[in-house]
Amino acid sequence: MQGKIILFTAPSGAGKTTIVKHLLNTNPKLSFSISACTRDKRGRAEENGKDYYFITPEEFRKRIEQDAFVEWEEVYEGAFYGTLKSEIERIWSEGKHVILDVDVKGGLKIKEYYKERALAIFVKPPSIEALAQRLEARATDSASSISSRIFKAKFELSFEDKFDAVIVNENLQDAFQEAEELVNKFLADDEVFG
Ligand code: 5GP
């Protein structure tokens, strides 16, 4: 019995986390792979062990040495994020499919590793200007964090053609529907859990 992986990647602020949360709320076959990361928790908006496992750089290094990650990245300078093998195994052992929210490089590594067992979806903002406005409206990141996210976004947008599908998030309801259709089709093909 084999589970599948659905991975969402996008420049920060493109709306992928909202889309991932929507899918989790509407599809009981999916379970979120909680990444480990070394950045600070965003106050009360996030919970340890739910959004991320917030760990120290020392703990993160230890996990790298233990080969505990499927992939890991220094996504922003000094901020490490990684997908834990134990998370994927836990979810599959519960008879569910894994849903992941990772950066572009991590997404490409996971797709390369799991191949047709993974559906790699790239979520795109309508424009860089729209992305900047969203990050400012979110008001969770400092000005320097926003500018590094925009710098990175411009680079990440050049990789969209390497993914299985692209969703342009202009209107959230349309993006939800498109995501649901892609996921349902992928899971229906050669359904493994019956
Ligand atoms: P944020 O700090 O906004 O929560 O996330 C920053 C970026 O890190 C996002 O693009 C998010 O998808 C990515 N990210 C989260 N977890 C992982 C992971 O396990 N691996 C990789 N490569 N990127 C991740």
Side-chain angles (χ1 to χ4, degrees), residues 86-149:
S86 55
E87 276 292 293
I88 309 272
E89 290 307 324
R90 174 183 67 79
I91 294 167
W92 281 346
S93 74
E94 288 167 4
K96 294 198 175 188
H97 301 292
V98 178
I99 188 161
L100 281 152
D101 174 338
V102 293
D103 85 328
V104 170
K105 274 206 225 159
L108 291 174
K109 279 191 198 162
I110 293 169
K111 175 68 190 177
E112 168 74 20
Y113 190 79
Y114 291 106
K115 300 203 162 52
E116 64 285 348
R117 224 174 144 179
L119 174 69
I121 303 175
F122 187 91
V123 181
K124 211 177 133 173
S127 65
I128 284 283
E129 292 71 29
L131 185 74
Q133 279 168 11
R134 280 182 201 170
L135 286 171
E136 276 154 23
R138 187 162 82 177
T140 52
D141 298 282
S142 64
S144 74
S145 165
I146 290 177
S147 69
S148 75
R149 279 162 197 263

Side-chain angles (χ1 to χ4, degrees), residues 16 35 39 42 52 71 73 81-83 101-103 149:
K16 76 175 174 308
S35 295
R39 76 152 164 76
R42 290 183 182 128
Y52 286 106
E71 62 77 37
E73 288 288 334
Y81 296 75
T83 306
D101 174 338
V102 293
D103 85 328
R149 279 162 197 263

Side-chain angles (χ1 to χ4, degrees), residues 145-163:
S145 165
I146 290 177
S147 69
S148 75
R149 279 162 197 263
I150 289 170
F151 180 81
K152 188 174 159 74
K154 288 183 182 161
F155 172 72
E156 290 181 326
L157 285 169
S158 66
F159 289 93
E160 67 172 282
D161 59 345
K162 303 229 179 298
F163 288 81

